[in-house]
Amino acid sequence: MPRRGNPSPLPLLFLDVDGPLKPIGGPSTRHPGGYPTYLPPAGGPDDGMNPLLARVDPGLGPRLAATGCELVWATTWMDDANAYVAPWLGLPDLPVVLWPDETDADVAERERTGLHWKTRPLVARAAGRPFVWVDDEITGADRAWVAAHHRAPALLRHVDPRDGLTDADFTALAGWLDALGLSAG
């Protein structure tokens, strides 16, 4: 859907679950006493859900929705992100990146350059649109490859998996959007 007053489509915001939304690993600098946990949206038990889903702060949903970006799942959770994570965050079903099978050439390039296996498919999915990718496995190799192969602006935001998305990450996203004249609202 185009932005009001701007014929360009919304920038994409590719979301990984494990690390950015669901903190993993440890110890965390933000949570040295252990990760906080949250009740499911209805306050009832989370039957059948990933037991670590309780680490996902439901307050992230409104913050992500307020970015003004088109949210897209870029996670190995695939459709389970819509079944479990989206309702937890109060988000509607989101588009899901379908990961292609890696070829031998893809694997060889990844081993040679350190390029993340998600990088090429995300650039292909962006199809020339500005995008943000939040993930805990982004490296300089991914940034360099995107800079060389994607003509539109892109923000690859590495998120510390022990802490998940923080105020600093949202501030960086807002600053990037503002610099492009794409701020929400």
Side-chain angles (χ1 to χ4, degrees):
M1 168 188 287
R3 299 173 67 80
R4 233 183 301 182
N6 184 348
S8 302
L10 299 170
L12 299 165
L13 175 49
F14 293 121
L15 294 167
D16 184 28
V17 172
D18 296 320
L21 298 179
K22 179 177 57 96
I24 54 176
S28 166
T29 55
R30 287 180 45 210
H31 309 292
Y35 292 109
T37 57
Y38 305 89
L39 291 175
D46 59 353
D47 294 335
M49 290 187 185
N50 182 312
L52 297 181
L53 192 59
R55 290 184 182 176
V56 177
D57 179 355
L60 292 173
R63 292 184 79 180
L64 290 165
T67 63
C69 295
E70 179 183 334
L71 305 177
V72 179
W73 293 121
T75 176
T76 56
W77 281 60
M78 305 289 291
D79 290 322
D80 284 346
N82 280 324
Y84 300 111
V85 184
W88 189 274
L89 294 171
L91 296 172
D93 281 0
L94 303 176
V96 176
V97 174
L98 301 176
W99 305 114
D101 291 334
E102 278 190 306
T103 66
D104 289 342
D106 294 334
V107 172
E109 179 183 26
R110 183 167 39 87
E111 290 174 355
R112 183 176 48 79
T113 66
L115 188 68
H116 194 284
W117 61 269
K118 291 181 182 179
T119 306
R120 293 172 131 220
L122 292 181
V123 168
R125 175 65 186 264
R129 290 171 64 178
F131 74 87
V132 176
W133 173 24
V134 294
D135 202 304
D136 59 310
E137 297 180 345
I138 294 169
T139 68
D142 303 302
R143 288 185 186 89
W145 197 91
V146 170
H149 295 90
H150 185 70
R151 294 189 179 168
L155 172 65
L156 279 63
R157 182 70 182 180
H158 178 268
V159 174
D160 186 328
R162 298 167 300 173
D163 295 325
L165 284 171
T166 65
D167 289 342
D169 297 310
F170 282 99
T171 298
L173 173 57
W176 182 80
L177 290 167
D178 285 344
L180 296 176
L182 300 172
S183 60

